[in-house]
Amino acid sequence: SELKQILQRMITFEKILQVSGGKWRIWQEIEDMDKARVDEAVAHLLTLQQHDLARKLTQLYGMTDPVHSLELSRLHHLFTDKNDKTSAVSRLLSFPPAQAVSFALQLLDTLDLIRHRVLLCRMLLDKLRTWLSADDDQRLRVLHASLQLLSTVSETMQPHFLRVLRKPALI
C-alpha cells in the first residue's frame, strides 16, 4: 500500500513536469514545496487547464480547502471553455446530491451565457429538486422563467440583462 502511494506520487509529479512548461525541472522541486508554493503550483496548473492534476496535488499535500474551488473551476471550464455540458452535468451528478446542489448553485452565477444558465437551472429543477430547499426551489423556478424570457433577446444584448436577474420582478 505504501509502495502504491509512492508510485502515485511519482506519476503525479511526472505528469506535472510534463505539462508545466519548464516551470519545474525535477520532481524533487515539486516534492519539497511548502504550502505557499503548492498554492502557486495549483494556480499555475489551473491556468494550464490541468484541473485534475491541480486536485491531485492538493490531495497529496492534504489540502482540502482548495478542492471545492478546484471543482467549481473545473465545472466552469467544462461548461464554457470546452463547451462540454454533458461532461459537466455528469460530473456534477457524480457528487453526493447535497454537494452537487451547492456546486450547481454557485456555478449558476458564474456563467455568462443565458442558455448555459437555462440548462443548469433545468438540470437542478429536474434532477436535484428533492435536494433543494423550499427557498432555492422557488428562486430557481422564478430564475428559470426569467431566463427563458431573456433567451428570446438577441445574444448580443443578453449580457446587458444578466444583472437584472438578481431582481426578477423587473423582468
Side-chain angles (χ1 to χ4, degrees), residues 26-51:
I26 57 175
W27 64 268
Q28 289 89 342
E29 291 178 88
I30 301 167
E31 185 182 47
D32 295 336
M33 290 182 183
D34 60 13
K35 185 185 178 330
R37 300 263 309 157
V38 172
D39 288 342
E40 180 185 315
V42 167
H44 181 69
L45 290 169
L46 288 177
T47 63
L48 299 172
Q49 304 300 334
Q50 295 293 328
H51 297 86

Side-chain angles (χ1 to χ4, degrees), residues 42 51 92-93 96 124 150:
V42 167
H51 297 86
L92 258 174
L93 294 174
L124 274 162
L150 288 177

Side-chain angles (χ1 to χ4, degrees), residues 39-82:
D39 288 342
E40 180 185 315
V42 167
H44 181 69
L45 290 169
L46 288 177
T47 63
L48 299 172
Q49 304 300 334
Q50 295 293 328
H51 297 86
D52 288 334
L53 279 176
R55 186 185 325 89
K56 281 183 184 175
L57 189 61
T58 59
Q59 289 169 342
L60 282 177
Y61 285 89
M63 300 163 63
T64 54
D65 295 345
V67 174
H68 185 80
S69 61
L70 287 173
E71 283 302 335
L72 277 175
S73 177
R74 177 181 175 81
L75 288 166
H76 188 271
H77 172 69
L78 285 172
F79 225 94
T80 57
D81 303 331
K82 279 209 161 185

Side-chain angles (χ1 to χ4, degrees), residues 67-68 71 75 92 94-106 128 131:
V67 174
H68 185 80
E71 283 302 335
L75 288 166
L92 258 174
S94 73
F95 292 107
Q99 191 175 21
V101 166
S102 172
F103 281 146
L105 290 173
Q106 291 174 64
L128 297 168
W131 292 92

Side-chain angles (χ1 to χ4, degrees), residues 59-151:
Q59 289 169 342
L60 282 177
Y61 285 89
M63 300 163 63
T64 54
D65 295 345
V67 174
H68 185 80
S69 61
L70 287 173
E71 283 302 335
L72 277 175
S73 177
R74 177 181 175 81
L75 288 166
H76 188 271
H77 172 69
L78 285 172
F79 225 94
T80 57
D81 303 331
K82 279 209 161 185
N83 199 25
D84 189 356
K85 288 160 219 31
T86 304
S87 291
V89 168
S90 295
R91 179 116 184 122
L92 258 174
L93 294 174
S94 73
F95 292 107
Q99 191 175 21
V101 166
S102 172
F103 281 146
L105 290 173
Q106 291 174 64
L107 184 61
L108 201 53
D109 291 331
T110 67
L111 300 174
D112 295 330
L113 296 178
I114 288 178
R115 68 177 183 271
H116 290 167
R117 290 185 185 204
V118 168
L119 180 73
L120 196 53
C121 257
R122 189 77 260 146
M123 187 275 305
L124 274 162
L125 291 168
D126 289 347
K127 306 256 187 233
L128 297 168
R129 181 174 245 149
T130 58
W131 292 92
L132 294 171
S133 68
D135 288 344
D136 283 337
D137 182 65
Q138 176 63 27
R139 186 177 70 83
L140 281 172
R141 285 190 287 125
V142 169
L143 179 62
H144 187 254
S146 301
L147 287 166
Q148 285 186 307
L149 279 172
L150 288 177
S151 66

